[in-house]
Amino acid sequence: MLQVGMFATFKLVFVYLALGPIAGVIGIPYTLLVGDVSLLYRVAMWITNAGVRAAGIKIEISGLENIPVGRSCIFMSNHVSNLDPPVVLPLLPGRTSVLLKKELMNIPILGRAMRLAKFVPVERGHRRDAAQASVEAAADALRSGLHILVYPEGTRSPDGRLSTFKKGPFFLALGTQAPIVPIALSGTQTMMRKGSNAIVPGLAQITVLPAIEPSHYATREELMQAVRKAIAAALPPEMQTAAT
């Protein structure tokens, strides 16, 4: 099983290393020239999805019709694996920004491409000014017409079960009044476990749930509980927890 997992990882990494630098070297200068990152984004998402498929990961997605048309949305998903972003992101319509670790922005070529795509760096820790800067950058991305993908748990679940949510994404939702589209993701928790780089091929199931309007809730806590309840109800029983 370990050999299978490492071979699957090798295939994913090979696709990214073979195609990513080419796309960056050609795409970034082109993007700077024309002032539009859309083509580079589409190519990057195609490469991302190709790597996932090469690793033997199959994907089933349902509920795309629940995404409001013509509005910038905040996608909120449970988080169980490092595979979650490359599995989910290429399947979302339009352009979607992501809140990600600030350190990833330092990767040559890739970091530059993520800045062009208005990805939002998040600094780990408890600095209030850093958290506020991330929320403001995410709000700016929404105002520019992008969607945002966030993981309200803040980090990967250690056991695949839905954990408590952080407040930051809900400040963003209430401040922008952008609709929240909950996403329930299962399967990836067994494909790349925390602390391991080995990928076990399998089936990832993505359920896009009906949008939740922040304006329908009086407080941040009520909004947070509504989103958490929606995601939990759509997960397999072994991944659910009692509402907190």
Side-chain angles (χ1 to χ4, degrees):
M1 183 62 72
L2 180 60
Q3 289 181 334
V4 172
M6 294 311 298
F7 184 58
T9 303
F10 170 79
K11 289 191 289 185
L12 179 144
V13 172
F14 176 79
V15 169
Y16 291 169
L17 291 180
L19 301 179
I22 297 173
V25 168
I26 297 174
I28 290 178
Y30 174 81
T31 297
L32 294 174
L33 181 65
V34 302
D36 186 355
V37 75
S38 298
L39 179 59
L40 178 60
Y41 179 86
R42 290 195 298 271
V43 172
M45 290 301 100
W46 184 88
I47 293 172
T48 300
N49 184 254
V52 167
R53 301 286 185 174
I57 298 172
K58 298 179 180 179
I59 303 172
E60 288 183 357
I61 185 168
S62 61
L64 287 173
E65 69 279 2
N66 289 321
I67 301 174
V69 177
R71 299 179 67 187
S72 294
C73 302
I74 303 173
F75 297 107
M76 292 194 184
S77 174
N78 61 308
H79 192 13
V80 293
S81 169
N82 280 339
L83 289 171
D84 296 347
V87 164
V88 173
L89 196 58
L91 304 181
L92 300 177
R95 273 180 53 202
T96 301
S97 178
V98 180
L99 275 69
L100 43 74
K101 290 187 293 186
K102 185 178 181 179
E103 294 78 12
L104 295 176
M105 293 292 195
N106 297 326
I107 299 175
I109 301 179
L110 180 60
R112 177 61 173 162
M114 290 190 291
R115 288 189 182 89
L116 290 172
K118 281 185 173 287
F119 283 16
V120 178
V122 176
E123 187 173 334
R124 292 296 177 91
H126 301 284
R127 286 181 50 202
R128 184 180 180 87
D129 58 339
Q132 186 175 359
S134 295
V135 170
E136 291 174 355
D140 179 67
L142 286 167
R143 287 191 292 267
S144 71
L146 304 185
H147 303 303
I148 292 282
L149 172 63
V150 300
Y151 296 102
E153 294 164 284
T155 188
R156 299 189 308 281
S157 168
D159 58 5
R161 297 174 69 87
L162 191 64
S163 56
T164 55
F165 282 5
K166 305 295 184 182
K167 298 177 181 179
F170 300 92
F171 280 114
L172 174 66
L174 288 171
T176 62
Q177 290 297 299
I180 297 172
V181 180
I183 294 176
L185 173 63
S186 62
T188 54
Q189 74 276 9
T190 63
M191 296 179 194
M192 180 182 277
R193 298 186 182 277
K194 195 166 186 176
S196 173
N197 292 322
I199 296 174
V200 178
L203 175 65
Q205 294 181 304
I206 304 167
T207 304
V208 181
L209 302 165
I212 293 175
E213 296 288 348
S215 60
H216 294 174
Y217 296 87
T219 67
R220 182 187 64 241
E221 286 73 20
E222 289 179 6
L223 177 61
M224 184 163 57
Q225 288 302 321
V227 174
R228 193 175 188 280
K229 183 178 179 181
I231 294 174
L235 290 171
E238 66 273 13
M239 297 179 68
Q240 298 176 6
T241 60
T244 59

